[in-house]
Amino acid sequence: MVPAIGALQEINLGPLAPHYLSEVIAGIVLMLVIFQIMWKVVVPAFEKMYEERSAKIEGGMQRAAAAEAKAQAALAEYNEKLASAREEAARIREDAKNTAAQLVAEGRDQAAKESQRIVDSGRAQLAAERAQLIGELRGEVGGLATQLAEKIVGETLSDDARAQRTVDRFLAELESAGSAR
């Protein structure tokens, strides 16, 4: 059911209907001229502009990819440096712990030696003072014993050596009786 040409003439196009065939031919010619001008001038300009924009976009994407690669490399380098810095910090902490432990051990040893020296010195001093006090006590006890003996006997005991021996023997008996308890 293709409409016939006569049927097309029956269609009412209103003001768009051409009055003359020359108008239709002139319209087609002008349309071809405009199409030719567009094809030769406008389309290449648009194509050129499209290519430039595409190149800029591609270049921008390549620059962005290169910048991203650089950023990734910088991040990797930063992470490596950070890891090595952490390792070095851990090593330094470990060295500091070892040094501190060594210093504490040396300090304890030195303090123990100093303490032992002070204790030994104190014991030696006490022994010397004790010997001195024992000597002084023997002399005083001997003198008191001799005076007491003189008062009991009523005579002076002139033999100092014999009196000294008697006092020493008495003190020795006292010491042996004190140690037996």
Side-chain angles (χ1 to χ4, degrees):
M1 298 201 143
V2 176
I5 296 179
L8 285 177
Q9 290 177 353
E10 293 177 7
I11 297 175
N12 186 12
L13 294 176
L16 294 177
H19 293 292
Y20 302 105
L21 183 61
S22 63
E23 289 178 357
V24 173
I25 294 173
I28 292 174
V29 170
L30 285 176
M31 185 182 77
L32 289 175
V33 169
I34 291 173
F35 181 75
Q36 189 68 23
I37 292 171
M38 293 283 284
W39 188 259
K40 295 285 184 183
V41 177
V42 176
V43 170
F46 277 122
E47 287 292 324
K48 182 180 177 186
M49 184 176 65
Y50 175 74
E51 287 296 323
E52 288 175 358
R53 286 189 178 218
S54 294
K56 282 183 181 179
I57 290 170
E58 287 294 322
M61 290 174 64
Q62 290 174 355
R63 284 191 303 273
E68 185 178 352
K70 277 185 180 180
Q72 289 294 335
L75 179 63
E77 182 181 350
Y78 170 76
N79 286 335
E80 287 177 16
K81 286 182 180 180
L82 184 61
S84 68
R86 285 182 179 158
E87 289 174 3
E88 185 175 351
R91 183 185 51 79
I92 289 171
R93 277 193 304 270
E94 191 64 31
D95 289 347
K97 284 180 185 178
N98 292 339
T99 303
Q102 184 180 8
L103 290 175
V104 166
E106 289 175 2
R108 284 183 183 158
D109 290 345
Q110 189 176 10
K113 288 177 184 177
E114 185 67 20
S115 168
Q116 188 61 39
R117 186 191 64 78
I118 290 171
V119 167
D120 291 344
S121 172
R123 285 182 181 162
Q125 187 177 1
L126 282 174
E129 288 178 4
R130 181 176 181 209
Q132 181 183 359
L133 285 175
I134 288 175
E136 288 177 7
L137 278 176
R138 283 189 177 191
E140 287 183 28
V141 169
L144 289 174
T146 305
Q147 287 177 1
L148 182 61
E150 285 178 358
K151 288 185 181 179
I152 292 175
V153 174
E155 297 182 9
T156 47
L157 299 171
S158 60
D159 188 9
D160 285 337
R162 193 171 60 180
Q164 186 64 33
R165 280 196 310 270
T166 304
V167 169
D168 287 340
R169 189 182 49 203
F170 175 71
L171 290 175
E173 288 174 8
L174 282 178
E175 283 180 8
S176 64
S179 65
R181 286 185 191 164

